[in-house]
Amino acid sequence: MGSGIAETVIESGFQATLLSRTSETAHAMGEAIKSSFERKTAKERKTVIRAEEELSRLNVTNQITDLADCDLVIETVVEDLEVKLRVIKNLDAVCKADAIIATNTSTFPIIDLAMATQRPDKVCGIHFFNPAQVMKLIEIVKTLVVSEETIQTATSFALSCNKEPVIVKDQAGFIVNALLFPYLNNAVKLLEQGVAAKEDIDTAMKGGCGFPMGPFALLDLVGLDTALSILNSLYDEFKDPNFAPAMLLKRMVTAGMLGRKNGFGFYSY
Ligand code: CAA
């Protein structure tokens, strides 16, 4: 997600600093963007000169202090509240006082993250969708304490990235995941019940509903660990049994089957 967002940001004319944990992972994320640009130039979607100009506005780093002068910071770390809180507090300490700190969390209450900073009025959700370079939607998530100015800036940013922003209140799952994840979870339950093969369930939802991907291909794209974390957060918030993660999903995550990101999920890559 992080490199997909950075790619979108530099393509939209902004300067971007991409922070990763180590110099190796930072380098790998920069390389992923370069490869994507090479594919786009090969397909004549952009010129080599334009790709070089856009890449010149990207700085990849593993030093959090390199974010000190940024106007807007978007965290996209793993869906683990403790990790997110730690990262947000570190960002709050390093970033300039008037910077907006946004989170790309899929489900955690934004207010929990906002109140961990000294600037809760400048913290909001800016939620991209996978793959971030392609999907048009951005959910802008509004807490009880965020300022209108922060929401306006986040919305203008989304529009400048040629995305379609929607404003949503700070409730687990926001709009898309609150509707999408019960569907994905129920697909896993159908598979567990032996109703049909995964390939046939995917074929059915593409052919029968016009979805671009079936539920298992989509779960692999999102990441099974991320999907499990989203369902757990939805279940924690609403205590609705429909959000309780399917047993098979839990077992696959425990078995290290995470989807496309490590090559093994419902399908092999
Ligand atoms: N990463 C980056 N770019 C990708 C990509 C990926 N994983 N997969 C496809 N693309 C790009 C391709 O390079 C291609 O770009 P160009 O047009 O510039 O050549 C473009 O997307 C279209 O790709 P394809 O022609 O290969 O395939 P497609 O038309 O089937 O589109 C798709 C692929 C965009 C992924 C499409 O299948 C789709 O929209 N799937 C549904 C995705 C979805 O529902 N996402 C939301 C997930 S939920 C979420 O993200 C929320 C959360 O909090 C977890």
Side-chain angles (χ1 to χ4, degrees):
M1 262 285 186
S3 61
I5 294 172
E7 183 174 331
T8 302
V9 167
I10 58 171
E11 284 186 323
S12 307
F14 295 104
Q15 190 86 32
T17 301
L18 182 53
L19 171 73
S20 191
R21 271 173 293 187
T22 64
S23 53
E24 289 77 23
T25 53
H27 178 74
M29 289 172 91
E31 289 302 305
I33 298 177
K34 275 189 203 152
S35 308
S36 174
F37 279 12
E38 276 161 18
R39 278 195 302 276
K40 286 177 186 174
T41 50
K43 285 184 185 173
E44 298 185 352
R45 293 279 161 85
K46 69 166 86 213
T47 62
V48 174
I49 291 174
R50 181 157 171 205
E52 279 171 2
E53 189 278 317
E54 288 171 350
L55 284 169
S56 74
R57 283 187 275 100
L58 176 70
N59 170 31
V60 290
T61 180
N62 65 341
Q63 300 297 317
I64 194 168
T65 44
D66 286 348
L67 302 181
D69 291 332
C70 292
D71 298 313
L72 169 66
V73 178
I74 305 172
E75 77 71 23
T76 64
V77 299
V78 65
E79 283 292 300
D80 175 321
L81 189 56
E82 260 182 48
V83 177
K84 284 202 185 281
L85 282 168
R86 196 171 63 238
V87 169
I88 287 276
K89 282 181 193 164
N90 290 342
L91 289 172
D92 190 37
V94 160
C95 296
K96 61 184 182 182
D98 59 349
I100 292 176
I101 300 181
T103 169
N104 184 51
T105 183
S106 305
T107 45
F108 291 127
I110 312 294
I111 193 73
D112 288 359
L113 300 170
M115 298 312 284
T117 72
Q118 303 301 310
R119 60 181 97 195
D121 59 317
K122 295 190 180 63
V123 178
C124 68
I126 298 187
H127 185 215
F128 288 78
F129 291 81
N130 233 312
Q133 307 90 316
V134 182
M135 303 306 282
K136 288 302 259 183
L137 183 69
I138 291 185
E139 289 175 323
I140 308 280
V141 190
K142 204 172 169 177
T143 68
L144 292 174
V145 297
V146 72
S147 72
E148 261 320 304
E149 195 188 346
T150 299
I151 296 299
Q152 273 171 21
T153 306
T155 306
S156 308
F157 165 74
L159 290 169
S160 303
C161 293
N162 197 25
K163 300 286 187 190
E164 286 169 359
V166 292
I167 310 252
V168 53
K169 84 172 184 188
D170 185 19
Q171 175 174 303
F174 316 130
I175 300 171
V176 172
N177 287 347
L179 295 174
L180 177 64
F181 276 81
Y183 151 70
L184 295 177
N185 199 31
N186 282 322
V188 182
K189 289 179 185 168
L190 272 193
L191 183 66
E192 281 176 335
Q193 291 158 11
V195 170
K198 59 181 186 281
E199 293 83 359
D200 286 343
I201 298 175
D202 273 354
T203 300
M205 295 314 291
K206 286 194 287 179
C209 294
F211 290 177
M213 293 176 129
F216 298 107
L218 185 53
L219 279 163
D220 280 353
L221 175 68
V222 167
L224 304 197
D225 50 343
T226 303
L228 179 59
S229 166
I230 291 171
L231 284 162
N232 280 330
S233 299
L234 285 164
Y235 185 71
D236 279 352
E237 180 106 311
F238 301 108
K239 302 288 182 288
D240 177 340
N242 203 30
F243 293 129
M247 187 74 75
L248 176 61
L249 183 64
K250 292 197 277 190
R251 295 292 178 271
M252 288 177 76
V253 173
T254 308
M257 299 168 77
L258 306 182
R260 281 198 198 192
K261 68 174 85 169
N262 72 345
F264 303 99
F266 287 98
Y267 299 101
S268 295
Y269 299 87

